[in-house]
Amino acid sequence: MAQVEYKGKVFNLDEDGFIDSFDNWCPEWVQYVKESEGIQELTEEHWKIIHVLQDYYRKHGIAPMVRILTKVTGYKLKYIYELFPSGPGKGACKMAGLPKPTGCV
Amino acid sequence: MPFDPSDIMKDRITDIGPPKYDKFFPPVIKENYGKWKYHEILEPGVLVHVSETGAEVYTVRVGAARLLSVDLIRDICDIADKHCDGYVRWTTRNNIEFLVDDKAKLKPLIDELKSRGNWFPIGGTGASVTNVVHTQGWIHCHTPAIDASGIVKAVMDELFEYFGSHKLPAQVRISLACCLNMCGAVHCSDIAILGVHRKPPIIEHERVQNVCEIPLVIAACPTAAIKPKKVGDYKSVEINENRCMFCGNCYTMCPALPLADGEGDGIALWIGGKVSNSRVPPKFSKLAVPYIPNEPPRWPTTVQTIKKMLETYASDAKRYERIGEWIERIGWEKFFEKTGIEFRHEHIDDYRLAMTTWRTTTQFRF
Ligand code: SF4
Ligand code: SF4
């Protein structure tokens, strides 16, 4: 597991850059990852998606299906890709500290 | 415009799809598209299609390992440049086809292919064993119970005479999948090679809550063997080993439940599937042999069992009869008798709709 330090915080990452545990998430993590995810400036809309993902994960133990994410946030999938160029899984879930998506992806 | 990692969206091209299929048509195909009148198989691996316009196209089909280096693809391109004006195509079973528009060009092409040792074996047409549709195996996937390329090579070596000949009652499709995700065609092939596990997953309790979405893991299990469980401080899962049939689905969803095992894993053979609608409707393949150990690098037991099933079929079936049709005609009890395969309790379906597969008639053969 790779270790990175950013603004005084230490993160342990897997080979795809997901953090080792949701419990180790902190706002600095989002700042650290944004660049590699192709995001110049974090807006309120980015944070809204991150918070929806985290709330859903805390409550249900899974990441929401894309249709739930679009319904709850009111953002169309196309717009989510504009905010997170690598998409809701690799982009938004990674920044929200959720586990890496599994299955035949 | 080189890729700029600091601005990944700059000059990004997207949603352009594949190039249009007819861009790479040989001229004779383009000119006669939709006008083909009839075709003939001239010899194993060699076809001719004749158009209403009188145009002819000759096709030479050659076997390929599917997993190819760029060097080999360049060799293929060289042959296509030399004989086919640079055109070449791949089939849905990953054979390669070289097309020429004149009978005079056929022999030089075949001579060239034959001059290259065993790199481009000609065949795969008609009542043959054509290429094996197969998967990733130990080359690239993380859920396999067996290898793909290795077994396919061993099987095709043994059945090579059936690739370049038409001695079978009908075509025999062999497929392989390295786990029961069944990527490819094993569920609908005349003979299918399938990787299976025989041991339940190991639960890495300290990792489950960090790398897995536990409800997904629970929902992944077809027999409901998984339930959530707190182990010490960890949120984890418990697997009822008496309900687990080692499908590995939970590992696909959760990296903390590995189940691959050198001794446990092996091969199940399936038989009698087809996808065409000719004569009888399409069929699923059915279990022929529940377990054969992994025997790298040549898998002799698997190879010999397949050969035995194939040759029993070849000597017993009627012309045009696919393996599934043959078995249905003679009855499964005769299939086991003729092939010498042992019938075991594993053959009897016990999954949900199993009842429909049991025999509800007095008709059987002693
Ligand atoms: S059949 Fe299973 S192991 Fe093989 S490539 Fe597909 S998912 Fe991977
Ligand atoms: S291997 Fe399959 S049957 Fe066994 S617990 Fe996992 S999902 Fe269930």
Side-chain angles (χ1 to χ4, degrees), chain B residues 153-218:
Chain B
K153 167 70 174 150
V155 169
M156 284 313 275
D157 278 352
E158 190 68 25
L159 303 183
F160 190 59
E161 59 174 305
Y162 296 101
F163 180 79
S165 67
H166 293 159
K167 358 187 219 190
L168 295 166
Q171 69 270 41
V172 171
R173 303 288 186 235
I174 304 181
S175 303
L176 175 147
C178 33
C179 85
L180 42 65
N181 208 16
M182 298 192 177
C183 302
V186 289
H187 64 297
C188 57
S189 295
D190 295 281
I191 297 176
I193 306 161
L194 180 68
V196 291
H197 303 284
R198 292 186 305 164
K199 296 184 185 175
I202 293 162
I203 309 174
E204 298 170 350
H205 290 294
E206 70 292 353
R207 285 183 76 213
V208 170
Q209 69 174 18
N210 289 334
V211 296
C212 312
E213 299 166 79
I214 290 171
L216 290 192
V217 184
I218 294 166

Side-chain angles (χ1 to χ4, degrees), chain A residues 12-55:
Chain A
N12 293 306
L13 315 182
D14 71 7
E15 66 281 13
D16 295 309
F18 280 73
I19 44 171
D20 58 349
S21 167
F22 183 63
D23 299 334
N24 296 339
W25 182 90
C26 58
E28 289 81 2
W29 168 249
V30 182
Q31 299 291 345
Y32 171 74
V33 187
K34 74 174 199 313
E35 210 168 298
S36 65
E37 288 301 319
I39 297 166
Q40 316 279 358
E41 251 352 286
L42 284 163
T43 64
E44 244 168 63
E45 291 170 319
H46 288 106
W47 282 107
K48 179 170 164 186
I49 291 183
I50 289 169
H51 287 137
V52 166
L53 290 172
Q54 293 185 326
D55 292 345

Side-chain angles (χ1 to χ4, degrees), chain B residues 55-295:
Chain B
E56 295 177 335
V57 59
Y58 294 85
T59 303
V60 182
R61 183 176 299 169
V62 301
R66 190 181 67 88
L67 207 65
L68 311 176
S69 67
V70 173
D71 280 347
L72 184 56
I73 293 171
R74 289 202 171 113
D75 280 352
I76 293 162
C77 295
D78 286 344
I79 296 171
D81 282 341
K82 196 161 149 199
H83 297 272
C84 317
D85 302 318
Y87 295 97
V88 62
R89 68 181 293 273
W90 262 251
T91 72
T92 54
R93 296 191 77 87
N94 307 304
N95 289 308
I96 301 162
E97 287 184 349
F98 296 100
L99 278 60
V100 292
D101 56 8
D102 183 347
K103 189 155 196 181
K105 297 178 184 169
L106 186 59
K107 193 168 174 318
L109 169 62
I110 291 175
D111 289 345
E112 163 103 47
L113 293 167
K114 285 187 173 163
S115 75
R116 291 174 176 244
N118 271 338
W119 283 99
F120 302 108
I122 298 172
T125 54
S128 67
V129 172
T130 182
N131 222 350
V132 177
V133 167
H134 63 280
T135 49
Q136 306 188 61
W138 299 330
I139 293 276
H140 196 74
C141 199
H142 70 303
T143 62
I146 57 171
D147 190 28
S149 300
I151 301 170
V152 167
K153 167 70 174 150
V155 169
M156 284 313 275
D157 278 352
E158 190 68 25
L159 303 183
F160 190 59
E161 59 174 305
Y162 296 101
F163 180 79
S165 67
H166 293 159
K167 358 187 219 190
L168 295 166
Q171 69 270 41
V172 171
R173 303 288 186 235
I174 304 181
S175 303
L176 175 147
C178 33
C179 85
L180 42 65
N181 208 16
M182 298 192 177
C183 302
V186 289
H187 64 297
C188 57
S189 295
D190 295 281
I191 297 176
I193 306 161
L194 180 68
V196 291
H197 303 284
R198 292 186 305 164
K199 296 184 185 175
I202 293 162
I203 309 174
E204 298 170 350
H205 290 294
E206 70 292 353
R207 285 183 76 213
V208 170
Q209 69 174 18
N210 289 334
V211 296
C212 312
E213 299 166 79
I214 290 171
L216 290 192
V217 184
I218 294 166
C221 184
T223 54
I226 308 176
K227 59 182 181 186
K229 191 185 177 192
K230 200 127 201 232
V231 179
D233 283 343
Y234 303 122
K235 275 189 270 167
S236 187
V237 294
E238 179 180 56
I239 295 178
N240 177 349
E241 301 198 348
N242 292 322
R243 287 190 78 97
C244 175
M245 40 70 167
F246 331 122
C247 69
N249 232 1
C250 51
Y251 175 61
T252 300
M253 299 317 294
C254 173
L257 301 177
L259 78 165
D261 181 88
E263 253 121 62
D265 297 352
I267 288 171
L269 295 178
W270 297 66
I271 196 158
K274 73 194 263 287
V275 289
S276 83
N277 278 292
S278 50
R279 298 171 301 279
V280 299
K283 292 172 181 295
F284 282 126
S285 45
K286 294 189 172 168
L287 184 63
V289 183
Y291 180 77
I292 300 172
N294 254 319
E295 298 168 315

Side-chain angles (χ1 to χ4, degrees), chain B residues 294-305:
Chain B
N294 254 319
E295 298 168 315
R298 301 293 299 177
W299 285 269
T301 313
T302 299
V303 168
Q304 289 311 321
T305 311

